[in-house]
Amino acid sequence: MLTPRVLKLSLLRRLRAADLPPPWRPRVLPARAYHSRTYSSGGSPRPMRQFSEQNESSPQPLIYYIVPSALLFVAGLATFVRYNDERRAVPLAKEAGQGGVPKRCTTNRPAIGGPFKLYDTENNVVTESKLRGNWTLMYFGYTSCPDVGPRQVQKIADVVKVLESKYGIKITPLFVTIDPQRDSSAQLKAYLSEFDPRIVGLTGPITAVRQIAQEYRVFFKKVEEVGQDYLVEISHNMYLLDPCLETVRCFGTEYEASDVAEAITKEVQKASASSTN
């Protein structure tokens, strides 16, 4: 029978023969060459790579895209409006008083109105420069208008007569058609001669008519179209332009001819008083 000491020595020989560490000797593990960097925000650490991947995969809120886009749109719109007003501004004479322009015309007037090129009933070119130096009463309409149009044209004729006979003031009455497809030069001349031959009729290409209507903020739209026949919805306003081509008054359908003539007289007197001071 083997003693405990002999058994212990036999066990040690077997372990050494198998090249195994003894059970009581602590194991020494080799250090790893790769150390992952971590990011900690107070909680359990997370690998940096995993954090970046999650950050890339999560989309940004829409507010980060909407606000800059809105600011760029507003800035672009403001720039366009300013450029459009400067483009529409009627250039003034180089020197005050040149070409019959009053000395008080010293600044551009881009608010309402602008340059245009149309044709009168004699097919002569009419631009804004030909109106400079004179008071002008401008009306937008069309010869096929059934009710309001003829009353407004008759009102213009009455205003011209009252101004000349009662106040000794001469103005240039203009009738700008917004229906150039049907209102030719001959049609305009025949229509306006029934009211007052002094009313100047203007027509032109569709693009030119639309341009001047836009310059003077005139609304018009085709309605009740039946084949080639149609009506046009329009604002029916009259515009009073001073010698500087500034729109100083706007008269709607509610004004009578006497009211328009009196208002024009006041504007002319006010302008004369300011030019003498």
Side-chain angles (χ1 to χ4, degrees):
M1 182 176 179
L2 297 176
T3 64
R5 182 179 179 83
V6 174
L7 292 176
K8 184 176 181 180
L9 292 174
S10 177
L11 179 61
L12 288 175
R13 292 192 187 98
R14 292 179 181 179
L15 291 176
R16 289 176 181 175
D19 197 17
L20 295 176
W24 59 84
R25 183 180 299 177
R27 293 187 178 184
V28 179
L29 299 177
R32 294 184 179 180
Y34 171 77
H35 297 278
S36 62
R37 294 184 299 174
T38 60
Y39 173 82
S40 177
S41 59
S44 59
R46 292 180 298 173
M48 180 63 72
R49 185 176 180 182
Q50 180 182 0
F51 174 79
S52 61
E53 291 177 354
Q54 292 179 358
N55 189 30
E56 292 177 358
S57 61
S58 60
Q60 294 288 345
L62 291 178
I63 189 68
Y64 289 97
Y65 303 98
I66 296 177
V67 173
S69 301
L71 292 177
L72 290 175
F73 174 77
V74 172
L77 181 62
T79 303
F80 171 77
V81 171
R82 179 177 179 82
Y83 166 76
N84 191 45
D85 281 347
E86 291 178 353
R87 179 184 62 83
R88 293 190 300 107
V90 178
L92 300 174
K94 295 182 179 179
E95 298 180 0
Q98 180 179 350
V101 180
K103 293 183 179 181
R104 65 187 183 87
C105 301
T106 57
T107 57
N108 291 339
R109 313 291 184 176
I112 299 179
F116 62 87
K117 180 181 178 181
L118 297 174
Y119 299 88
D120 61 12
T121 56
E122 303 299 330
N123 292 324
N124 298 318
V125 177
V126 177
T127 63
E128 73 284 349
S129 60
K130 291 189 177 182
L131 304 181
R132 188 178 298 280
N134 300 314
W135 289 86
T136 304
L137 186 61
M138 182 181 293
Y139 173 72
F140 292 82
Y142 65 108
T143 61
S144 302
C145 186
D147 300 318
V148 182
R151 290 199 298 266
Q152 290 294 94
V153 178
Q154 183 61 52
K155 186 187 300 184
I156 295 174
D158 296 339
V159 169
V160 172
K161 294 177 182 178
V162 172
L163 288 175
E164 291 187 358
S165 61
K166 186 175 181 179
Y167 301 103
I169 298 175
K170 291 186 178 182
I171 64 172
T172 302
L174 290 182
F175 179 96
V176 182
T177 179
I178 47 85
D179 187 16
Q181 296 94 326
R182 296 183 294 184
D183 290 345
S184 61
S185 298
Q187 173 69 16
L188 276 176
K189 184 176 182 179
Y191 177 78
L192 296 175
S193 61
E194 298 179 1
F195 300 94
D196 193 321
R198 290 173 292 184
I199 301 177
V200 180
L202 298 181
T203 186
I206 298 177
T207 55
V209 171
R210 288 179 178 175
Q211 176 185 345
I212 188 175
Q214 180 182 3
E215 304 290 359
Y216 285 91
R217 311 294 197 267
V218 176
F219 167 80
F220 67 96
K221 178 182 178 182
K222 286 184 179 181
V223 294
E224 300 182 14
E225 294 188 52
V226 180
Q228 298 297 326
D229 191 16
Y230 55 85
L231 297 177
V232 181
E233 184 179 352
I234 189 173
S235 52
H236 292 289
N237 292 329
M238 299 181 190
Y239 298 91
L240 177 63
L241 280 61
D242 67 2
C244 303
L245 301 184
E246 178 185 3
T247 303
V248 294
R249 289 293 300 269
C250 179
F251 305 101
T253 57
E254 68 276 8
Y255 286 84
E256 298 294 336
S258 58
D259 300 330
V260 176
E262 184 176 355
I264 293 175
T265 302
K266 291 181 180 180
E267 293 294 338
V268 173
Q269 294 173 353
K270 185 192 304 182
S272 300
S274 62
S275 61
T276 55
N277 295 335

